[in-house]
Amino acid sequence: MTLAFLFSLCICAFLADAQLNLTAAQGTEAPQTGTLEQTIPGHYRYESGARVSGVILTNEGVVVVDALSSGAMAMHERQLIAGSLQQPVRFLVSSTFHNNYTRGNVAYGDVVRIGHEEYKADLLALMIEDNVPSVEQEARLPHQTYRERMSLHLGGKEIQIIHIGPAHTRGDSIVFVPEDRIVYVSELLFYNRFPWMNSGYIEWINAIDAVLDLDADIFVPGQGPMNFDDPRDSREALIRFRQILVDARDAVQAEIERGATEDRVVASVLLSQYEELGGYQQQREVVVRRIYRDLKGTLE
C-alpha cells in the first residue's frame, strides 16, 4: 500500500470515530457549509457565516481553535482539513463557553480538548441549565484545563494558550504562535461587528491591550469573516473594535457621575456612531447595562 492510501485510511478512521461521537450526542443534523481559507502559510481559518474557527497546521498534526455551533459544522470543518491539509487534528482549544462555539465539540472525541478552568466550569453550568444529556456533556467538556497559560509543542512549533479574561467571558483563551507572529483571539474580536456582551466584562479593554502587546502581526477573529486584503490589517481592526468598548465605557461612566439610574443610562447612551454594525440592535442595551453594573460593582 502507498503512504497516501494509508493516510487516507487513518483520516477515514478519525472521521468515523468523530461521527460516532456526534451521533451519540446529538443525533442526525442537517449538513453544514463553510470554507477553509489560508491566512498565511501554515495557518487557516474555517468560516461559516460570521463564525470563525482557527486552524494551525504542522507536520505532526493540526490544532483547531473553537469548534463552532454544531457537530455537523465541526464535521464539515474536519472533512475540509482532512482533504486539503492532509494532517489529522490533534488538539481542540476552546475559548467561549457559549453554545454557538461549543456544540461542535462533540465532533472532536478523538482529540485532546483544552480549555481554561473557568471555561469548563461555565460550560458545565450552561449545559446543566439547558438539561443537556450526560453523553453530550461528556463530549463537549475539555479533557485538560489550565489556569494561566500552557504550551503545546507540535511539529517544531511552540503554540501558547493564554488566559486573557475576563473579557468576552471570564474564561477566554487566546492561542499565540510566536514563530509566525499570529494570534487567534476568538471572540475577543468581532470584526466589523458590535460586541456581544451577555457574559462580558469591562476588562475586555485590558485584555485587548494585552493582546496588542504581543509580538504578533496578525489577529484572527472569532467573529468575522476575516476579509482582509492583507492579514496584517487585523491589528487595526482590533484597535477599532477596542474603541467601541472604550466609547461605551466612557459614556456610561459619564452618566453614572451625573447620578443617572441604570434605565436612564440605557435611554441616553445610544452609541449611534455604531448603529450600522451587525449586532447593534440586539446588543446595544445589553452592552450598556452590563457595563453600568460592572462599573457600579453590582455585576453578578
Side-chain angles (χ1 to χ4, degrees):
M1 294 185 212
T2 67
L3 287 176
F5 180 72
L6 287 172
F7 178 81
S8 297
L9 289 178
C10 290
I11 289 295
C12 289
F14 273 125
L15 294 177
D17 288 345
Q19 184 64 56
L20 287 173
N21 283 306
L22 165 61
T23 303
Q26 290 190 314
T28 302
E29 293 181 340
Q32 299 288 329
T33 59
T35 61
L36 187 65
E37 308 287 346
Q38 180 176 281
T39 305
I40 58 174
H43 294 269
Y44 299 79
R45 62 196 187 276
Y46 176 83
E47 298 182 355
S48 183
R51 299 185 186 95
V52 180
S53 169
V55 177
I56 303 168
L57 173 66
T58 80
N59 58 17
E60 293 181 350
V62 169
V63 178
V64 170
V65 182
D66 290 325
L68 304 187
S69 60
S70 71
M73 183 179 291
M75 281 297 301
H76 182 248
E77 178 177 2
R78 292 199 66 177
Q79 288 163 356
L80 293 181
I81 290 170
S84 299
L85 306 186
Q86 299 287 291
Q87 286 286 349
V89 178
R90 301 296 191 191
F91 297 93
L92 169 69
V93 181
S94 297
S95 181
T96 301
F97 72 89
H98 297 146
N99 285 324
N100 61 343
Y101 278 72
T102 62
R103 284 199 180 107
N105 291 6
V106 298
Y108 290 90
D110 58 323
V111 312
V112 178
R113 299 190 299 271
I114 299 171
H116 188 262
E117 57 189 18
E118 290 178 339
Y119 156 84
K120 180 179 181 179
D122 289 342
L123 174 57
L124 180 59
L126 174 67
M127 292 192 292
I128 291 172
E129 181 181 351
D130 289 348
N131 295 312
V132 171
S134 59
V135 64
E136 183 177 341
Q137 290 185 31
E138 187 65 25
R140 287 170 64 181
L141 287 170
H143 301 112
Q144 185 173 353
T145 63
Y146 73 99
R147 179 161 294 178
E148 294 181 0
R149 64 172 59 215
M150 65 177 292
S151 291
L152 305 175
H153 295 272
L154 194 67
K157 287 186 184 293
E158 180 189 16
I159 299 168
Q160 298 179 7
I161 306 169
I162 305 169
H163 177 232
I164 206 71
H168 177 64
T169 73
R170 67 184 185 133
D172 293 329
S173 295
I174 63 166
V175 180
F176 177 39
V177 186
E179 176 184 331
D180 298 330
R181 302 182 62 84
I182 186 170
V183 56
Y184 294 81
V185 298
S186 189
E187 288 192 292
L188 261 70
L189 172 56
F190 286 57
Y191 171 67
N192 273 357
R193 293 173 63 80
F194 200 76
W196 288 69
M197 207 172 186
N198 303 69
S199 306
Y201 302 84
I202 197 59
E203 288 92 342
W204 198 336
I205 297 168
N206 299 333
I208 291 174
D209 288 340
V211 170
L212 289 169
D213 282 343
L214 295 172
D215 288 328
D217 300 319
I218 300 168
F219 303 83
V220 180
Q223 286 271 354
M226 184 181 173
N227 55 351
F228 307 113
D229 292 330
D230 182 347
R232 289 171 295 185
D233 292 343
S234 56
R235 174 177 284 272
E236 292 304 316
L238 185 55
I239 292 170
R240 289 195 304 272
F241 180 75
R242 178 188 182 278
Q243 192 61 46
I244 300 173
L245 297 169
V246 170
D247 288 347
R249 179 201 61 191
D250 292 351
V252 171
Q253 183 64 53
E255 291 298 315
I256 289 174
E257 290 172 359
R258 294 187 185 101
T261 64
E262 181 176 332
D263 287 341
R264 180 60 190 163
V265 173
V266 169
S268 59
V269 177
L270 300 180
L271 300 169
S272 56
Q273 66 270 41
Y274 300 115
E275 64 185 0
E276 298 302 318
L277 293 180
Y280 171 87
Q281 296 297 334
Q282 301 96 320
Q283 284 288 301
R284 195 272 313 174
E285 180 176 340
V286 173
V287 167
V288 172
R289 288 192 185 277
R290 188 88 180 170
I291 290 176
Y292 176 90
R293 294 170 188 173
D294 204 347
L295 291 173
K296 295 282 286 185
T298 60
L299 191 62
E300 296 180 359

